[in-house]
Amino acid sequence: MRSGRITLVVVAALIVIVVAGGGVYLATHHGAKKMAATPTPVVATNSVSIQNYMFSPAEITVKVGTSVTWTNHDSVGHTITGDNVDELSSTIIEHGKTYTHTFNKVGSYTYHCSPHPYMKGTVIVTQ
Ligand SMILES: [Cu+2]
């Protein structure tokens, strides 16, 4: 009777250890999974800088209805020109000037600079 009670206590203790161990494993596993879920950071901003003949960030993600503003910090003028769609078509943005466009449709908008076509950027518009 007495040894049976001790066995019960030992078994109960083992269950606690196993459950606690499993919890630690799950927490570690969950943490690792969470880290892996964000390999490339999604830049959520509505401001893009134009500097050194580059758009920065080159790729942004915004919610539909967001107004995105580009600011030119270069001494030369640049444009925001859509690659395939007429969605984006700024005139020359001079030094220190801005261009703002509101995105009202979900989609991926790639653009470039008309005088410098190697300057490329993307605006991803989500619901
Ligand atoms: Cu340019």
Side-chain angles (χ1 to χ4, degrees):
M1 199 68 183
R2 195 178 157 85
S3 69
R5 193 170 288 174
I6 289 168
T7 303
L8 197 69
V9 168
V10 168
V11 167
L14 279 174
I15 287 169
V16 167
I17 288 165
V18 167
V19 168
V24 168
Y25 168 75
L26 283 176
T28 307
H29 184 71
H30 180 72
K33 202 174 175 185
K34 210 175 170 186
M35 290 285 281
T38 53
T40 45
V42 175
V43 182
T45 178
N46 63 340
S47 297
V48 179
S49 288
I50 311 170
Q51 199 153 20
N52 299 322
Y53 295 83
M54 282 186 292
F55 299 111
S56 180
E59 183 177 308
I60 63 169
T61 300
V62 298
K63 295 258 184 234
V64 71
T66 301
S67 296
V68 175
T69 298
W70 287 261
T71 304
N72 183 15
H73 299 286
D74 278 344
S75 54
V76 298
H78 298 290
T79 71
I80 307 300
T81 306
D83 287 354
N84 305 309
V85 288
D86 298 329
E87 181 79 17
L88 288 165
S89 58
S90 78
T91 54
I92 290 277
I93 310 160
E94 299 294 351
H95 170 77
K97 301 287 187 202
T98 62
Y99 169 70
T100 298
H101 180 79
T102 304
F103 291 87
N104 290 316
K105 272 184 280 180
V106 168
S108 182
Y109 300 90
T110 55
Y111 62 90
H112 60 276
C113 169
S114 188
H116 318 105
Y118 54 88
M119 293 174 63
K120 292 177 179 300
T122 305
V123 177
I124 296 165
V125 181
T126 60
Q127 197 58 255

